[in-house]
C-alpha cells in the first residue's frame, strides 16, 4: 500500500490522479489533499478518500467545515502545502499545483525524504539547480508526470546504460499551428482555450497555444535529463501520439506512444517501476493511419527561441520568463492584453531584468516578484 499526498487535488492533474487511486483502492491510500479555493470540490474529495489532512491555501474557518468532514485535520494558507508535502507520512507527494508555488512544495517534500511525482514544471524552470541538487542528496530522483518528460524517462529506462545524443521533444503545435502570425496575434480567449488534443487547466492551455509551454518544457528537460538545450529538438507533431523520443549515436530513435490522456504518465509515476491499468486504451494505429511531423516556426512562436536564450543567460532569466508569462497570461485571460502581446511583454521583462541572480530560493522568489511587477 502506497501513501500518497496530492497538492492541487481539485485540478486537472490532481483529479486524474484520484481517478487512478479510485481504480486501485488496494494499492493507494490518500493521506493529504490540498486546493487553492475550490472548496466544494475538495469537500467531495475528502468525503470520498478520507485523508488525514486537507487544506485550502485561500483559507478556511473552523465553522465552514461540514460536520461529516471534521475527522480530518484542516489547514489554511501556505502551512497547508507544507503539511501535505512534508508532515503527513506520505511515501509519494504529487505536486500538481500551478506556478512557482510548486518550488517550495517540491523542496519541502524532498527535504522530508519523500518521493516527488512532479507535474509542476515551474519548480524546475525556476529552481532547477536547487531541486536537482536536493533530490540527488536525498537519493530521491524525481518522477516526471509531464507527458513529454514521462515519455523521455520511459525511453531512457529502455536505453539502459546508453546516453542519448539528442532529445526529440514533441509538441502538438496548439490551436494556432496553421494560422498566420497576424491572425494569431489577435486571437480571442475562447480560440486560445480550444486545445486540439489535450484537456488541461487554463494556464497550460494558453501556454500550449503560444508554445510558451514548450519553452518551459525545454527548461524542464534540461534539468531532468541534464541535457544542453542545443541537444533538445522540438518536433511539431499534431496528432500527439508520440509523446517524445530520444536519439542515439547509432542512428536509432526510441519513442513512447499513447493516446493523449494524462492518466498514462500520472499512473506510470505512481506505480513506477511497475505498470498498472489506468482506464486508458492503447492508440489504435489503424484508425490513426498516419503520424505527421513539422519543424517549429520560431518566428511565429518566439517563446522557443527566448527559452533557449534564457537557459544560456543563466541567473534568474528562466524565472523571469516564467513569472512574466504567468502575469501576461492572467492579463490576457482578463482581456487586458492581446494574445500577441504575451510574448512581447515577456521579451520586455527579460530585457529590463537581465542579470538578476537566482542562487537561492530567496533570490528566485524576488526575481519572480519583479518579473510579475514589470511584465
Ligand atoms: P489546474 O489549474 O487544473 O489545477 C491546479 C490545482 O492546484 C488546483 O487544485 C488548484 O486549486 C491548485 N492551485 C492552483 N494554484 C495554486 C497555488 N498558487 N497554490 C496552491 N494551490 C494552487 O492545473 P493543471 O492543469 O492540473 O496543472 C497543474 C500543473 O501540472 C501545472 O504546473 C502544469 O504545468 C502541469 N501539467 C499539467 C498538465 C495537464 O494535462 N493538465 C500536463 C502537464 C503538466
Ligand atoms: Mg507537456
Amino acid at each position: 500500500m502506497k501513501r500518497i499526498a496530492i497538492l492541487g487535488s481539485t485540478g486537472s492533474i490532481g483529479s486524474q490522479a484520484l481517478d487512478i487511486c479510485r481504480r486501485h483502492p488496494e494499492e493507494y491510500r490518500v493521506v493529504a489533499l490540498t486546493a487553492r479555493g475550490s472548496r466544494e470540490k475538495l469537500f467531495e474529495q475528502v468525503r470520498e478518500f478520507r485523508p488525514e489532512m486537507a487544506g485550502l491555501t485561500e483559507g478556511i474557518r473552523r465553522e465552514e467545515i461540514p460536520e461529516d468532514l471534521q475527522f480530518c485535520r484542516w489547514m489554511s494558507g501556505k502551512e497547508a502545502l507544507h503539511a501535505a508535502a512534508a508532515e503527513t507520512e506520505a511515501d509519494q507527494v504529487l505536486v500538481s499545483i500551478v506556478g512557482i508555488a510548486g518550488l517550495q512544495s517540491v523542496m519541502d517534500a524532498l527535504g522530508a525524504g519523500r518521493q516527488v511525482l512532479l507535474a509542476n514544471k515551474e519548480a524546475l524552470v525556476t529552481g532547477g539547480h536547487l531541486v536537482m541538487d536536493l533530490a540527488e542528496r536525498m537519493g530521491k530522483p524525481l518522477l516526471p508526470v509531464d507527458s513529454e518528460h514521462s515519455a523521455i524517462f520511459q525511453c531512457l529506462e529502455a536505453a539502459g546504460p546508453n546516453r542519448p545524443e539528442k532529445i526529440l521533444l514533441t509538441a502538438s503545435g496548439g490551436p494556432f499551428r496553421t494560422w498566420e502570425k497576424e491572425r494569431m496575434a489577435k486571437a480571442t480567449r475562447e480560440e486560445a482555450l480550444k486545445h486540439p488534443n489535450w484537456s488541461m487547466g487554463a494556464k497550460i492551455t494558453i501556454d500550449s497555444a503560444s508554445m510558451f509551454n514548450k519553452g518551459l518544457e525545454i527548461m524542464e528537460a534540461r534539468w531532468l535529463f541534464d541535457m544542453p538545450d542545443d541537444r533538445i529538438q522540438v518536433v511539431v507533431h499534431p496528432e500527439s501520439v508520440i509523446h517524445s523520443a530520444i536519439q542515439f549515436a547509432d542512428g536509432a530513435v526510441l519513442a513512447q506512444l499513447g493516446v493523449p490522456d494524462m492518466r498514462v504518465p500520472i499512473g506510470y509515476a505512481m506505480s513506477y517501476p511497475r505498470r498498472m491499468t489506468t482506464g486508458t486504451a492503447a492508440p489504435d494505429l489503424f484508425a490513426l493511419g498516419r503520424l505527421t511531423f513539422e519543424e517549429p516556426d520560431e518566428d511565429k512562436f518566439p517563446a522557443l527561441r527566448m527559452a533557449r536564450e534564457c537557459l544560456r543567460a543563466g541567473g534568474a532569466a528562466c524565472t523571469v520568463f516564467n513569472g512574466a508569462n504567468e502575469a501576461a497570461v492572467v492579463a490576457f485571460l482578463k482581456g487586458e492584453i492581446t494574445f500577441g502581446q504575451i510574448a512581447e511583454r515577456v521579451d520586455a521583462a527579460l530585457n529590463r531584468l537581465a542579470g538578476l541572480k537566482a542562487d537561492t530560493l530567496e533570490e528566485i522568489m524576488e526575481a519572480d516578484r519583479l518579473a510579475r511587477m514589470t511584465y
Side-chain angles (χ1 to χ4, degrees):
M1 188 85 144
K2 285 182 178 166
R3 298 164 59 90
I4 184 167
I6 303 180
L7 280 61
S9 64
T10 57
S12 160
I13 296 285
S15 345
Q16 293 181 83
L18 283 174
D19 182 52
I20 295 176
C21 294
R22 188 179 290 124
R23 283 166 195 277
H24 298 276
E26 69 297 343
E27 308 250 3
Y28 295 96
R29 161 103 186 88
V30 177
V31 294
L33 295 174
T34 77
R36 182 168 50 184
S38 10
R39 56 176 66 184
E40 290 307 323
K41 189 157 183 192
L42 186 65
F43 288 162
E44 264 171 52
Q45 294 179 338
V46 171
R47 206 163 270 132
E48 179 179 357
F49 293 96
R50 307 191 69 79
E52 293 156 18
M53 185 245 128
L56 280 158
T57 56
E58 281 184 3
I60 185 158
R61 291 198 306 273
R62 203 86 322 276
E63 60 273 21
E64 292 169 331
I65 303 162
E67 197 67 27
D68 65 321
L69 302 182
Q70 307 259 352
F71 66 88
C72 150
R73 180 162 72 111
W74 284 87
M75 299 188 68
S76 292
K78 282 189 180 149
E79 290 87 72
L81 290 178
H82 179 80
E87 287 166 19
T88 48
E89 297 281 319
D91 303 304
Q92 303 186 326
V93 176
L94 170 61
V95 182
S96 52
I97 63 182
V98 180
I100 196 169
L103 175 57
Q104 183 68 57
S105 299
V106 170
M107 295 298 282
D108 287 349
L110 285 172
R114 309 287 187 254
Q115 172 77 72
V116 172
L117 317 186
L118 188 68
N120 175 277
K121 59 195 80 182
E122 297 89 339
L124 284 175
V125 165
T126 59
H129 55 300
L130 301 177
V131 170
M132 295 310 288
D133 183 56
L134 186 58
E136 188 173 315
R137 275 192 284 131
M138 300 302 291
K140 294 279 175 187
L142 302 169
L143 292 173
V145 168
D146 206 348
S147 59
E148 295 79 1
H149 304 75
S150 172
I152 296 161
F153 179 72
Q154 293 176 54
C155 292
L156 286 169
E157 290 280 300
N162 296 296
R163 263 294 285 164
E165 275 199 322
K166 217 169 168 181
I167 286 175
L168 306 176
L169 186 70
T170 54
S172 70
F176 305 140
R177 182 176 58 87
T178 59
W179 289 31
E180 292 297 325
K181 191 179 177 183
E182 293 67 33
R183 184 178 167 211
M184 182 178 88
K186 293 191 239 99
T188 64
R189 192 177 179 275
E190 286 62 42
E191 287 165 334
L193 282 170
K194 217 178 286 160
H195 196 279
N197 305 335
W198 295 94
S199 149
M200 309 179 287
K203 160 73 170 47
I204 185 171
T205 303
I206 299 298
D207 285 349
S208 300
S210 63
M211 289 193 88
F212 266 82
N213 182 51
K214 214 47 59 179
L216 295 168
E217 289 184 353
I218 293 174
M219 298 171 180
E220 186 184 8
R222 182 260 169 268
W223 289 110
L224 276 174
F225 310 116
D226 191 20
M227 187 64 93
D229 79 273
D230 58 355
R231 292 209 266 147
I232 303 172
Q233 170 72 56
V234 174
V235 178
V236 176
H237 166 48
E239 295 84 6
S240 298
V241 170
I242 295 185
H243 296 307
S244 278
I246 55 179
Q247 179 178 312
F248 297 94
D250 62 358
V253 172
L254 287 185
Q256 188 260 353
L257 283 71
V259 295
D261 184 331
M262 285 306 293
R263 286 177 302 176
V264 180
I266 297 168
Y268 189 62
M270 286 171 66
S271 65
Y272 175 80
R274 291 189 312 111
R275 290 183 186 271
M276 62 182 176
T277 57
T278 56
T280 311
D284 180 344
L285 298 180
F286 301 123
L288 281 166
R290 73 184 66 218
L291 298 177
T292 60
F293 307 94
E294 294 165 17
E295 211 174 321
D297 181 345
E298 297 210 358
D299 174 50
K300 195 166 103 182
F301 296 110
L304 299 174
R305 171 185 50 76
M306 278 156 50
R308 293 182 197 283
E309 286 167 4
C310 287
L311 276 171
R312 285 172 204 176
C318 294
T319 299
V320 172
F321 176 90
N322 177 68
N325 176 55
E326 250 184 72
V329 169
V330 170
F332 170 69
L333 287 172
K334 284 193 195 151
E336 292 167 6
I337 63 171
T338 64
F339 189 79
Q341 281 173 316
I342 298 176
E344 288 170 20
R345 296 292 177 97
V346 176
D347 203 30
L350 284 168
N351 287 327
R352 269 199 301 275
L353 297 174
L356 287 181
K357 292 213 297 191
D359 296 337
T360 63
L361 212 53
E362 292 70 34
E363 285 173 347
I364 294 170
M365 298 317 279
E366 177 60 9
D368 177 67
R369 197 183 63 80
L370 291 171
R372 281 161 207 278
M373 257 172 49
T374 46
Y375 90 95

